[in-house]
Amino acid sequence: MMRHLISAADLTRDDAVLILDTAEEMARVADRPIKKLPALRGRTVCNLFFEDSTRTRISFEAAEKRLSADVINFAAKGSSVSKGESLKDTAQTLEAMGVDAVVIRHSASGAPYRLATSGWIDAPVINAGDGTHQHPTQALLDAFTMRRRLVGRDAGLGQDLAGKRITIVGDVLHSRVARSNVDLLHTLGAHVTLVAPPTLVPVGVGTWPCEISYDLDSTLPKSDAVMMLRVQRERMNAAFFPTEREYSRRYGLDGDRMAKMPEHAVVMHPGPMVRGMEITAEVADSDRCTVVEQVANGVSIRMAVLYLLLGGNESDAPNPRTEEK
């Protein structure tokens, strides 16, 4: 494993499969009466969140505590950042406190990379989402969920997603989740198709390792997984489509459209969902929707990333070949 996790594009196939396999082992911890491992005992991890978050922040905190790490939660609101403190000064403060790893979420694309390469702090940096750039642990948990559903929990060990057809639908322009998934799924051998209104397709998308389509109905029958994206109005500074009803009619997933998918295909969403716009309640609450699984799998993936980056002892990891009594 590399020292930092900044972008899904930085992961090789072997890196990604190692993380997925380690997460499978970590997932077994959730079935134990005591859901803790001593792997990071005595290590301090700081969650440095400059942007609002619920799922990602809680997921990282749960992962850190299950590995027995000491956790510092830093929120920009109410801190010296609101008084004008720079990222450099904040990083140097954490360095002085002796933190062993930093999980950073920032509204500015490139902030985690800057923190990792600046020399301000001597600790592994994990990107928990930066602007419209990358969200690598989200892509990993999505791939983990797909592998479990499409290949199998035990059969998937050591396997990638070669040959699987994944469709990502919605606001690709503002989505770091879409960018990260395209990079990681391509690395894992999957075939990715992006479906979006022309106004929500990024400039330069032709260089991405994926196909582009503007017709959702034509892609559904050949999809193994369909990932719906939220329309990120908070990042929009213009009107990208006429009305919500028009968007939902052309790019929303309802029961009739889900019926066009193969029987084994699953529906995914990184959350939070806007029911009635990109996804209907009927689809969101169906057995084929993996949203709740993705949240649970996020803890396992983040445990695996922290364990591998911070060099936990092999003896501390759960053994996938032994069942908890």
Side-chain angles (χ1 to χ4, degrees), residues 124-295:
V125 175
I126 300 172
N127 182 1
D130 62 327
T132 59
H133 178 228
Q134 282 280 332
H135 195 351
T137 58
Q138 179 69 46
L140 285 162
L141 75 88
D142 290 339
F144 183 69
T145 304
M146 291 177 206
R147 194 176 76 165
R148 278 190 152 194
R149 279 291 195 114
L150 302 177
V151 182
R153 178 169 178 165
D154 295 321
L157 288 173
Q159 301 300 311
D160 54 22
L161 293 171
K164 303 302 179 186
R165 303 182 71 88
I166 315 301
T167 301
I168 301 176
V169 186
D171 185 4
V172 178
L173 178 63
H174 301 99
S175 179
R176 54 195 173 207
V177 173
R179 286 169 170 78
S180 300
N181 268 288
V182 168
D183 289 333
L184 183 64
L185 292 172
H186 173 71
T187 298
L188 290 172
H191 179 87
V192 183
T193 301
L194 298 178
V195 180
T199 54
L200 290 175
V201 174
V203 174
V205 74
T207 63
W208 294 15
C210 63
E211 290 187 3
I212 312 298
S213 174
Y214 304 109
D215 182 7
L216 177 57
D217 292 306
S218 67
T219 63
L220 293 176
K222 52 189 178 183
S223 300
D224 295 302
V226 177
M227 182 181 300
M228 306 305 295
L229 301 174
R230 179 177 65 89
V231 174
Q232 300 187 37
R233 294 193 177 279
E234 70 276 13
R235 300 187 192 277
M236 293 184 178
N237 55 8
F240 288 86
F241 47 86
T243 65
E244 290 186 8
R245 178 179 294 181
E246 175 72 8
Y247 178 89
S248 182
R249 185 179 70 82
R250 295 199 60 186
Y251 298 100
L253 187 63
D254 57 17
D256 291 338
R257 281 194 164 123
M258 185 170 66
K260 297 178 181 179
M261 296 165 53
E263 289 187 8
H264 69 273
V266 295
V267 177
M268 307 182 71
H269 197 300
M273 293 184 290
V274 181
R275 293 175 181 240
M277 188 171 178
E278 76 266 7
I279 191 169
T280 64
E282 177 187 2
V283 176
D285 297 331
S286 72
D287 292 338
R288 302 177 74 174
C289 186
T290 66
V291 172
V292 176
E293 290 175 45
Q294 288 171 265
V295 174

